[in-house]
Amino acid sequence: MNTSTHTCNTLDASQRTDFKNVRLQVTIRRVVLLFLVCLSVYIYLYINTFDGMKSSAVYGLQRLFENVAFQNSIPSLGEEQSQTHLQDLKSLKMEFFARREIEQEQTTPLPTITDVVKIHSNFDKEQLQKYRTRILKKESVPLLTLFTTWNYNLEKDLVHNITVFNWMSLNPFVIPVVFTNDSDVAADCSRKGWKVLPVLITAAEGVPVLKYMYRDVMEKYNTTLYAYSNADILFADTLPDSLVHIITNTSLDLTQPALMVGKRTNVKNVTSEEGSAWYNITKIAKDRGTLFNGWAEDYFITTRSFPWHDMPEVVIGRRAYDNWLVFHSREMKYSVIDITRRVLAVHQTTKAGNREGHSHKNKDYNHNLVVKMYKIIRYHLGVIECIEKYTQYEYGIVRIKNRNNRKGCKAG
């Protein structure tokens, strides 16, 4: 009887211990779940509150968590897909730690929105006017062929109309070109003075391939430089002025491959009146603009000698190609120049936000393409802050200066 009682008590104690262990595990899981939920809410709020967040360590952690989740799914994938996920994770880890180094080692002061908007009033326009006269007399070719692409979109109609007017105001320095197969867009742009070319080669279910647009404008128009820009970017007279200074006052060899890029300034809900004049564009940038982070690159000014024929068939409007292009150009030792301090580029921000390319159906098309060709891509080496050369206004002219590059930016 005593033995039976002892056995029962032992079983009861064991059961109580198991029950306590189960409760402890449930509690731990709930705490972990609560922590992840709080972290997700914090990241969501941070993304929607600070446009510069993408360059922060928090954003790096967010992407790290996402890719760890991808890694956990590897056993259910094929071997090739698994290798791709592993490569993505390795690249992400390199990117995260490099971001932290880049942010911590600010050896060369980076421009602020105040620096950028000052540029409208502090340069001598005499040289610009002389160049205008030379172009009109056909003693010089125009500075730039500036091209973009779009089809009719009711939500973007105002944005595109403002862009059409703005780019035409850069005449005769700039030849504006739109690539489109939309007859209404073609007719409207042509009527307003733009050049129109058809989209001949597409990928990712109908998206224009960047390299072929460069090829087509180079064959069609004779200018000193060529540039693709997103269709929602507005420029002021600092664009032609800076290009004139770079062409005439610096040692940049235009016969060699060169790439010029810069940060954009986000301004929400630009009106037709605000986009109607360079002064107004500068004013709204100063009053309510936000200088975006160096991961977003919206325009690419290149020399004719830039080897677009060797580039992969990336498409516009999808993530990854911009940082890859800068990274690749740096690796190839082309002249890559950050012109943020001299060129004001205003992004007409709509309700679609500042990361519209991340929400498209084929958002990973470019990433998948370049990873397949080049394996691990170090996107963090393709941000604006890592570019070795930058423009600075000194003693009445624009100079190209060398940036004291940070450890996290070292290529090779």
Side-chain angles (χ1 to χ4, degrees):
M1 184 72 178
N2 293 337
T3 303
S4 175
T5 303
H6 177 72
T7 302
C8 290
N9 290 338
T10 302
L11 290 174
D12 290 342
S14 175
Q15 290 175 342
R16 285 197 295 272
T17 300
D18 290 343
F19 181 72
K20 288 180 180 179
N21 289 336
V22 170
R23 289 187 62 184
L24 180 61
Q25 290 175 5
V26 170
T27 302
I28 292 173
R29 288 174 182 172
R30 286 177 177 174
V31 170
V32 171
L33 180 61
L34 180 61
F35 170 77
L36 292 175
V37 169
C38 292
L39 182 61
S40 299
V41 171
Y42 172 74
I43 290 173
Y44 174 81
L45 293 174
Y46 200 85
I47 289 175
N48 288 275
T49 305
F50 300 105
D51 283 335
M53 181 270 190
K54 190 177 179 181
S55 63
S56 71
V58 175
Y59 187 77
L61 282 171
Q62 181 198 24
R63 290 192 57 194
L64 187 61
F65 292 150
E66 293 172 349
N67 280 268
V68 167
F70 286 147
Q71 188 185 34
N72 290 335
S73 68
I74 285 176
S76 64
L77 300 174
E79 181 178 353
E80 183 177 350
Q81 291 174 301
S82 298
Q83 289 301 316
T84 299
H85 282 296
L86 287 171
Q87 290 169 359
D88 287 347
L89 186 62
K90 184 176 179 181
S91 178
L92 183 72
K93 289 178 179 177
M94 293 169 59
E95 177 181 317
F96 171 67
F97 290 110
R99 280 176 175 176
R100 187 169 62 183
E101 290 178 352
I102 292 169
E103 291 162 4
Q104 290 174 347
E105 300 176 18
Q106 300 293 344
T107 56
T108 301
L110 298 175
T112 65
I113 186 61
T114 303
D115 297 327
V116 174
V117 297
K118 280 182 179 178
I119 60 182
H120 183 86
S121 59
N122 70 357
F123 64 77
D124 182 4
K125 297 183 177 61
E126 183 179 352
Q127 192 170 26
L128 188 64
Q129 294 304 322
K130 287 181 179 179
Y131 212 94
R132 175 194 291 272
T133 301
R134 289 175 58 190
I135 294 173
L136 293 175
K137 289 183 177 181
K138 300 189 183 304
E139 296 173 356
S140 295
V141 297
L143 292 170
L144 179 69
T145 298
L146 182 62
F147 65 93
T148 190
T149 180
W150 75 81
N151 292 322
Y152 180 74
N153 181 336
L154 181 60
E155 294 182 357
K156 290 293 186 71
D157 189 44
L158 175 61
V159 167
H160 293 153
N161 283 333
I162 295 173
T163 298
V164 168
F165 185 87
N166 171 250
W167 288 20
M168 272 306 299
S169 71
L170 299 169
N171 182 65
F173 305 104
V174 172
I175 298 176
V177 180
V178 62
F179 281 85
T180 186
N181 294 330
D182 186 314
S183 58
D184 291 334
V185 172
D188 183 60
C189 289
S190 179
R191 185 169 58 251
K192 294 175 180 176
W194 279 45
K195 306 297 184 183
V196 179
L197 292 177
V199 178
L200 299 178
I201 300 179
T202 64
E205 300 183 28
V207 185
V209 176
L210 183 63
K211 64 185 289 183
Y212 297 117
M213 291 194 287
Y214 272 96
R215 178 201 64 184
D216 292 347
V217 293
M218 288 180 184
E219 289 178 354
K220 190 75 173 177
Y221 307 108
N222 183 25
T223 55
T224 305
L225 300 166
Y226 298 84
Y228 168 78
S229 171
N230 289 336
D232 50 14
I233 299 296
L234 305 179
F235 297 98
D237 49 348
T238 54
L239 174 62
D241 179 76
S242 296
L243 296 181
V244 167
H245 276 269
I246 290 171
I247 291 169
T248 59
N249 297 332
T250 71
S251 59
L252 181 67
D253 187 352
L254 297 175
T255 66
Q256 298 300 313
L259 171 66
M260 288 172 267
V261 295
K263 292 184 180 182
R264 75 189 192 209
T265 299
N266 294 325
V267 180
K268 293 182 179 179
N269 304 319
V270 179
T271 66
S272 296
E273 182 180 358
E274 290 171 333
S276 65
W278 297 330
Y279 173 81
N280 292 346
I281 292 171
T282 306
K283 186 176 186 302
I284 61 174
K286 179 181 180 181
D287 291 347
R288 65 178 200 274
T290 303
L291 192 64
F292 205 38
N293 66 73
W295 287 84
E297 292 146 342
D298 292 68
Y299 62 91
F300 310 91
I301 303 173
T302 71
T303 53
R304 178 180 282 274
S305 56
F306 194 87
W308 283 106
H309 55 278
D310 292 333
M311 298 295 161
E313 296 187 358
V314 296
V315 298
I316 57 93
R318 303 298 183 270
R319 74 177 189 91
Y321 84 91
D322 50 354
N323 300 132
W324 176 85
L325 179 60
V326 173
F327 157 63
H328 178 73
S329 298
R330 292 184 62 216
E331 272 208 325
M332 297 301 293
K333 308 302 181 184
Y334 303 149
S335 293
V336 184
I337 307 169
D338 168 18
I339 59 176
T340 302
R341 295 177 184 271
R342 285 304 307 159
V343 173
L344 175 62
V346 168
H347 175 242
Q348 302 174 75
T349 305
T350 64
K351 65 180 182 179
N354 290 310
R355 296 183 179 87
E356 190 173 356
H358 291 246
S359 61
H360 289 297
K361 179 180 179 181
N362 297 298
K363 64 179 181 179
D364 293 326
Y365 176 85
N366 292 325
H367 170 72
N368 294 335
L369 176 65
V370 296
V371 164
K372 186 175 181 180
M373 295 177 65
Y374 300 96
K375 306 306 178 186
I376 293 176
I377 307 298
R378 293 182 290 174
Y379 290 117
H380 62 276
L381 299 183
V383 300
I384 297 291
E385 291 85 353
C386 281
I387 296 174
E388 289 88 351
K389 298 181 183 295
Y390 67 99
T391 52
Q392 180 79 28
Y393 189 81
E394 290 182 347
Y395 308 110
I397 62 173
V398 174
R399 299 180 185 274
I400 297 176
K401 305 189 70 175
N402 292 320
R403 177 176 284 142
N404 295 325
N405 231 341
R406 295 164 289 281
K407 181 180 178 182
C409 289
K410 299 295 184 183

